[in-house]
Amino acid sequence: IVSKPNKSINYTAEINYKGYNSDLGLFYGQRGVLENHLTTRIDGNAPINEFYNIGIAVSMDNLIYNRCDKESYTILRANPYFGIEKEKIRFKAGLLVDLSFNDNTIFRIAPDLRFEWEFDKLCFLYAQLTGGKSINSWEKMSTLTSYIDPTSSMANTYTPADFTVGLRTTTFKKLHFTLYGGIKYSVDALFDYRQQIIDVTGSTRPVISFYATDAYAWKAGFEIQYAPRDFLKAHLAWEHNEWHRKGGKERILSSQPRNEWKAGVTVIPIRPLDITADFYMADGLGYRNRVEGNINYPEAGNLPNIVTLNLGAVYRLNKQIHFSAQLNNLLSKRTDLFYGMPAQRFHFLVGAGGVF
């Protein structure tokens, strides 16, 4: 629900539901998992005058579990803030407050500060300091890997501070450029490890579980978008994330890449047809294997780099109907997302869609 823009108060309201169901645990002599995640959110703001406004966003997350030993819990969130929007400056000052029930921690607080300054025509300097609590539901973590072990619980992550500063420019009509860097610190950050589970028949199956540790990450990156012609677009991006344990210098080995490179070109030979080629490369991946039931002293190592090339096309029959085709991993390279757990080699997808 979205209110009509007016001078007194504006608001949005929404309800979301996500469910996760897995019977994998039945193969290990345990029960299956049924997770229901219901989110209710209301966001309202009111202008004080032409340049200033105040607002608050309130939400409630209810996670309800059945057929497993994990207990249901609720998290209430509040984000009061004050904002300034002038011709060349935008500023927001707020707090992120989390109140948890039956989730180990009760009260968490983090800043919500955002600043943007247009110091020259179409050149922006921006900075933000945010944080808050992240819910690590089974549904969320299963999107990271289909090898997830749904019989093990995962802690939620609290980030006291996530700082980013960057430069963005659109000075050139056909060229957009963004450069940024920062640091992030999290309590109970999750990192994957591989283990073998013995099922009821005595056979073993590799699964991915997650352990929590306090850690910080140095981050940096850039993105370039270039559109020299109406029928031609290109982009190049690099992202760096290097996680370290709190108080330690050694990098944490996990499936999260240290560096990711993304490049792509889109050609529009005729108005209804888009053809896109994408290149992706990631390095700095690692793995940990559980040893003798103790994840504090696991076997660990590096994984080969990931290199993929994809080709796709979309044909729009009209404004309502379109057809698409996607060819993934054209080089058919073997890639291990986790130790001994490969991704698909060459595969393709065709489909159709409609907008009504």
Side-chain angles (χ1 to χ4, degrees):
I1 301 174
V2 181
S3 65
K4 294 182 178 180
N6 59 76
K7 296 182 180 181
S8 57
I9 187 170
N10 298 290
Y11 64 87
T12 61
E14 60 181 277
I15 297 177
N16 297 312
Y17 169 80
K18 294 180 179 179
Y20 178 80
N21 182 26
S22 175
D23 292 327
L24 183 62
L26 299 177
F27 291 99
Y28 310 133
Q30 301 185 36
R31 290 178 290 175
V33 169
L34 179 60
E35 177 185 75
N36 298 286
H37 185 180
L38 181 65
T39 302
T40 306
R41 178 182 173 86
I42 300 175
D43 188 349
N45 66 80
I48 299 175
N49 55 35
E50 183 181 358
F51 302 112
Y52 305 99
N53 65 85
I54 58 173
I56 185 171
V58 180
S59 65
M60 179 172 64
D61 288 276
N62 293 288
L63 286 98
I64 303 169
Y65 294 92
N66 295 305
R67 306 205 316 262
C68 63
D69 296 329
K70 188 173 178 63
E71 295 184 352
S72 303
Y73 63 92
T74 298
I75 297 179
L76 297 178
R77 304 173 187 267
N79 177 209
Y81 59 87
F82 167 76
I84 301 174
E85 291 192 19
K86 294 189 175 182
E87 183 179 359
K88 294 185 178 296
I89 292 179
R90 294 181 178 86
F91 176 72
K92 175 185 176 183
L95 287 175
L96 297 165
V97 182
D98 297 308
L99 186 62
S100 303
F101 300 90
N102 207 29
D103 184 41
N104 297 325
T105 60
I106 298 177
F107 182 75
R108 295 293 196 188
I109 190 170
D112 184 19
L113 304 174
R114 303 169 193 268
F115 172 79
E116 182 180 87
W117 172 38
E118 186 179 5
F119 63 92
D120 198 3
K121 186 178 180 180
L122 299 179
C123 293
F124 301 88
L125 178 67
Y126 67 93
Q128 63 181 39
L129 178 62
T130 61
K133 194 168 188 176
S134 299
I135 296 176
N136 297 319
S137 63
W138 272 312
E139 182 276 332
K140 172 186 173 182
M141 305 309 289
S142 68
T143 62
L144 302 179
T145 171
S146 58
Y147 296 107
I148 187 173
D149 174 16
T151 65
S152 62
S153 298
M154 293 163 290
N156 291 325
T157 301
Y158 164 57
T159 299
D162 183 358
F163 175 70
T164 303
V165 60
L167 175 69
R168 182 173 66 251
T169 178
T170 56
T171 302
F172 305 102
K173 182 178 179 181
K174 299 175 181 180
L175 178 66
H176 295 181
F177 178 76
T178 302
L179 176 68
Y180 66 89
I183 186 172
K184 178 179 181 179
Y185 171 66
S186 294
V187 176
D188 288 336
L190 293 190
F191 299 95
D192 56 89
Y193 67 94
R194 178 182 182 270
Q195 65 172 333
Q196 298 282 349
I197 293 184
I198 302 176
D199 64 24
V200 293
T201 66
S203 302
T204 60
R205 175 190 175 103
V207 294
I208 295 298
S209 297
F210 294 86
Y211 68 97
T213 187
D214 298 349
Y216 65 94
W218 295 104
K219 56 184 184 178
F222 70 80
E223 182 178 10
I224 302 173
Q225 297 180 5
Y226 182 52
R229 297 288 187 272
D230 291 339
F231 61 86
L232 179 63
K233 301 176 183 178
H235 71 272
L236 174 66
W238 167 69
E239 184 175 0
H240 175 80
N241 285 286
E242 187 166 329
W243 284 94
H244 299 261
R245 292 184 187 274
K246 178 183 177 181
K249 296 183 178 180
E250 183 181 355
R251 185 173 67 90
I252 297 176
L253 287 175
S254 75
S255 64
Q256 299 182 39
R258 179 168 49 182
N259 295 290
E260 292 182 278
W261 290 89
K262 300 176 184 178
V265 176
T266 299
V267 180
I268 308 174
I270 56 176
R271 181 56 59 182
L273 178 63
D274 292 5
I275 301 175
T276 301
D278 289 309
F279 172 81
Y280 175 80
M281 183 175 70
D283 66 31
L285 296 92
Y287 70 90
R288 292 177 179 272
N289 289 335
R290 187 170 184 172
V291 176
E292 298 177 352
N294 191 332
I295 64 172
N296 293 318
Y297 303 97
E299 294 177 344
N302 296 310
L303 290 174
N305 296 345
I306 296 176
V307 179
T308 59
L309 180 64
N310 307 317
L311 184 65
V314 176
Y315 182 81
R316 297 174 181 82
L317 188 63
N318 50 46
K319 292 183 179 180
Q320 287 75 38
I321 300 174
H322 67 269
F323 302 94
S324 62
Q326 184 73 32
L327 306 177
N328 297 317
N329 198 358
L330 288 174
L331 304 178
S332 195
K333 293 181 66 67
R334 176 186 169 88
T335 299
D336 280 346
L337 299 178
F338 305 92
Y339 182 80
M341 299 179 174
Q344 286 181 295
R345 302 186 73 168
F346 171 75
H347 57 285
F348 67 90
L349 177 69
V350 295
V355 179
F356 303 98

